[in-house]
Amino acid sequence: MKVQWEKLAWIALAMVLTVVGCSPSATQSPPTPAPTPVPPTQTPAPAAAVALAFPTGVFTKASYTWEFKADGTWIVELHLQGVDQIGSGTYTVTGDQFLIQDVLHSCKDTVGTYAWSYDGEVLSIKPVDDKCRDRANMSWGEWRKEP
């Protein structure tokens, strides 16, 4: 009978050790929570300005009006003593540049390249490459949108 008690004692001891070995120890530290995100020290870059599409309509500068039509054609008029149409042609826009070609002017075979920007009221034009001096001299500058 003594052997049975010894067996029971060993079984009980094995069970106690198993339970104690599988349970969390009092010396273990609790799990570390995930770190709290820290905001970046850099200021985010400002959102890019919304690019305006090339404007159509009538624009004025000094005694000139320049009309850009939605169909890709344009007309320039000089208003001194009456109205004189001094140029017309076609244009195509790619990004912040446009190509222009006359159909009436002496430079009708010459394509000019111009940089442009538009703030909603003023169309700013700067020649990039235009062998037609008359057109380049007339074109550059700030053109105010007519209502």
Side-chain angles (χ1 to χ4, degrees):
M1 189 83 177
K2 186 175 181 180
V3 172
Q4 285 183 348
W5 278 103
E6 274 185 27
K7 276 186 182 182
L8 279 175
W10 283 110
I11 292 173
L13 181 62
M15 288 175 53
V16 168
L17 290 175
T18 302
V19 170
V20 170
C22 291
S23 67
S25 169
T27 60
Q28 275 185 325
S29 60
T32 306
T36 305
V38 177
T41 56
Q42 284 185 317
T43 305
V50 175
L52 295 175
F54 189 82
T56 57
V58 177
F59 297 83
T60 60
K61 178 179 88 166
S63 300
Y64 294 98
T65 60
W66 198 349
E67 181 178 7
F68 291 97
K69 298 180 181 181
D71 66 359
T73 61
W74 58 270
I75 297 171
V76 172
E77 296 175 336
L78 177 61
H79 302 266
L80 288 178
Q81 297 174 349
V83 177
D84 295 318
Q85 182 176 337
I86 60 170
S88 67
T90 60
Y91 71 95
T92 55
V93 179
T94 304
D96 65 348
Q97 293 188 350
F98 68 97
L99 302 177
I100 188 169
Q101 187 165 8
D102 288 48
V103 293
L104 293 178
H105 196 269
S106 61
C107 295
K108 67 181 180 181
D109 295 325
T110 306
V111 175
T113 304
Y114 291 81
W116 69 275
S117 65
Y118 182 59
D119 68 5
E121 290 182 30
V122 175
L123 175 62
S124 297
I125 298 174
K126 178 181 176 187
V128 174
D129 181 26
D130 195 348
K131 304 291 187 260
C132 178
R133 294 279 181 223
D134 290 339
R135 183 174 58 205
N137 289 335
M138 181 278 308
S139 303
W140 72 273
E142 295 184 343
W143 295 78
R144 186 158 301 278
K145 173 92 171 174
E146 290 293 305

